[in-house]
């Protein structure tokens, strides 16, 4: 397991809080054929700083850094065209009432990327979660979702782990959520802050491991659902977390989960550093990639 110094962990947590995705991009992915039209939503802009009410749009390709596309003055409905984006004339915007959408009238293969909206909220930037555009002739395919128990060291700490697997979907991007039901009780959402979740992606499948508290008095049934461009898909089976202690996991299983947690921490740190660099460059003023309206 990778152990980070306390100061680094503190810095990482602070960056995650400051850069939490607070703007609403409702689509995880959008799939289009070349020549079609696409629009990317961005809601929640009412919380943007009224003294500088600009919505910024960025493009992020898999092997490149963030590239500024345009910014929109929400007071006048005008955009700043001083960007140096090589395809800036391919993009336009429209006000949908609850947010400002970025549009591409004629989709090209070179538009394949993830698109983020952003604005200033008092003294820090807030972002949307991003929408990834796939330009392909392939059809959108529904994911197959299953949930299983997963042994881990958490059993030794009065906790239990569940594993949710999404596979055979296209495009491959999904978002996991959990619900639980007490015996003879109503079905309720499992709050994101309750328990730890780790996600691991590989070609053709994505796995989420959820660590949940064990209850000495009750037995819960947990359901996993997956949000996808096709729609929301729920696992067909429910997984019980028994009050009885499970067998002690093998050293191999413990090491595997430690590696997974390490990957999650490293990916989060890289993501935060990238966004921090973007904010620093933007706060320095006009640059070759981005010039903001005053």
């Amino acid at each position: 397991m990778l152990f980070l110094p306390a100061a680094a962990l503190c810095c990482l947590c602070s960056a995650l809080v400051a850069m939490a995705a607070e703007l609403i991009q409702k689509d995880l992915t959008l799939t289009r054929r070349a020549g079609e039209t696409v629009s990317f939503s961005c809601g929640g802009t009412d919380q943007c700083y009224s003294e500088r009410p600009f919505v910024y749009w960025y493009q992020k390709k898999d092997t490149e850094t963030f590239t500024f596309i345009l910014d929109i003055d929400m007071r006048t409905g005008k955009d700043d065209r001083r960007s140096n984006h090589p395809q800036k004339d391919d993009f336009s915007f429209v006000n949908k009432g609850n947010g400002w959408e970025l549009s591409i009238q004629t989709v090209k293969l070179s538009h394949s990327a993830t698109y983020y909206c952003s604005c200033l909220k008092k003294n820090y930037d807030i972002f949307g979660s991003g929408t990834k555009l796939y330009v392909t002739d392939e059809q959108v395919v529904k994911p197959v979702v299953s949930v299983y128990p997963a042994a881990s060291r958490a059993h030794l700490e009065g906790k239990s782990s569940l594993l949710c697997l999404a596979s055979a979907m296209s495009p491959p991007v999904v978002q996991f959520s959990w619900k639980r039901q007490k015996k003879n009780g109503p079905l309720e959402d499992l709050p994101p802050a309750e328990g730890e979740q780790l996600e691991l992606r590989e070609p053709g499948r994505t796995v989420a491991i959820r660590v949940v508290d064990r209850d000495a008095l009750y037995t819960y049934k947990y359901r996993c659902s997956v949000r996808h461009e096709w729609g929301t898909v729920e696992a067909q089976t429910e997984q019980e977390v028994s009050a009885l202690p499970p067998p002690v996991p093998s050293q191999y299983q413990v090491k595997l989960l430690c590696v997974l947690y390490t990957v999650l921490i490293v990916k989060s740190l890289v993501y935060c550093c990238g966004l921090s660099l973007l904010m620093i460059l933007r706060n320095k003023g006009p640059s070759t990639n981005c010039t903001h309206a005053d």
Side-chain angles (χ1 to χ4, degrees):
M1 182 71 179
L2 175 66
F3 293 98
L4 297 178
L9 284 174
C10 181
C11 179
L12 175 60
C13 293
S14 299
L16 285 171
V17 172
M19 300 176 194
E22 296 186 41
L23 294 179
I24 303 169
Q25 292 185 250
K26 63 181 181 179
D27 299 304
L28 292 174
T29 62
L30 291 170
T31 302
R32 295 290 187 273
R33 291 184 174 90
E36 294 183 340
T37 299
V38 68
S39 294
F40 305 94
S41 66
C42 181
T45 54
D46 56 325
Q47 61 186 312
C48 299
Y49 188 39
S50 59
E51 296 298 321
R52 194 174 181 181
F54 295 94
V55 176
Y56 306 97
W57 277 98
Y58 297 91
Q59 181 189 69
K60 172 68 174 69
K61 295 190 175 183
D62 291 341
T63 58
E64 300 177 11
T65 187
F66 284 80
T67 304
F68 174 69
I69 301 173
L70 56 81
D71 59 0
I72 307 160
D73 188 334
M74 292 186 288
R75 295 169 298 188
T76 63
K78 296 182 179 180
D79 65 295
D80 181 0
R81 286 291 176 175
R82 290 175 289 176
S83 165
N84 289 329
H85 194 287
Q87 296 175 310
K88 64 180 180 180
D89 293 333
D90 295 345
F91 299 95
S92 60
F93 68 92
V94 60
N95 183 7
K96 287 295 186 178
N98 60 344
W100 295 84
E101 292 190 353
L102 179 71
S103 298
I104 306 175
Q105 294 302 314
T106 305
V107 170
K108 303 174 184 176
L109 183 61
S110 57
H111 292 141
S112 299
T114 303
Y115 294 85
Y116 295 88
C117 61
S118 171
C119 73
L120 183 67
K121 185 177 181 180
K122 292 188 178 179
N123 58 347
Y124 62 93
D125 292 298
I126 56 176
F127 287 78
S129 54
T131 299
K132 187 164 187 176
L133 174 63
Y134 288 88
V135 182
T136 177
D137 291 331
E138 295 183 4
Q139 297 291 327
V140 175
V141 179
K142 173 183 176 181
V144 177
V145 183
S146 304
V147 60
Y148 308 95
S152 73
R153 188 185 295 272
H155 290 308
L156 304 179
E157 302 171 356
K159 296 184 179 182
S160 189
S161 299
L162 297 175
L163 183 149
C164 187
L165 172 66
S167 60
M169 62 275 188
S170 180
V173 179
V174 294
Q175 185 179 68
F176 293 91
S177 62
W178 295 83
K179 293 184 178 181
R180 68 181 183 182
Q181 185 176 27
K182 192 178 294 186
K183 188 175 182 179
N184 300 324
L187 190 65
E188 60 184 28
D189 291 328
L190 191 63
E194 186 170 328
E196 302 171 3
Q197 179 164 301
L198 170 68
E199 294 183 14
L200 181 64
R201 295 179 175 87
E202 60 182 39
R205 69 190 69 186
T206 301
V207 176
I209 299 176
R210 184 74 182 232
V211 179
V212 295
D213 291 330
R214 297 178 56 80
D215 196 310
L217 301 177
Y218 302 99
T219 296
Y220 285 96
K221 290 184 178 180
Y222 286 80
R223 294 183 183 179
C224 172
S225 62
V226 169
R227 180 184 166 208
H228 183 257
E229 185 175 340
W230 183 91
T232 300
V233 181
E234 189 171 281
Q236 296 299 311
T237 58
E238 299 174 338
Q239 178 61 48
E240 292 188 2
V241 179
S242 171
L244 296 176
V248 177
S250 68
Q251 290 186 356
Y252 173 78
Q253 291 170 321
V254 172
K255 290 180 179 179
L256 176 60
L257 282 180
C258 288
V259 171
L260 295 180
Y261 278 114
T262 300
V263 171
L264 179 62
I265 291 174
V266 172
K267 288 178 67 177
S268 298
L269 183 59
V270 171
Y271 176 74
C272 289
C273 290
L275 284 182
S276 297
L277 179 60
L278 176 65
M279 292 169 62
I280 291 171
L281 293 176
R282 204 175 83 177
N283 290 335
K284 283 184 177 179
S287 65
T288 57
N289 287 334
C290 173
T291 303
H292 295 164
D294 293 325

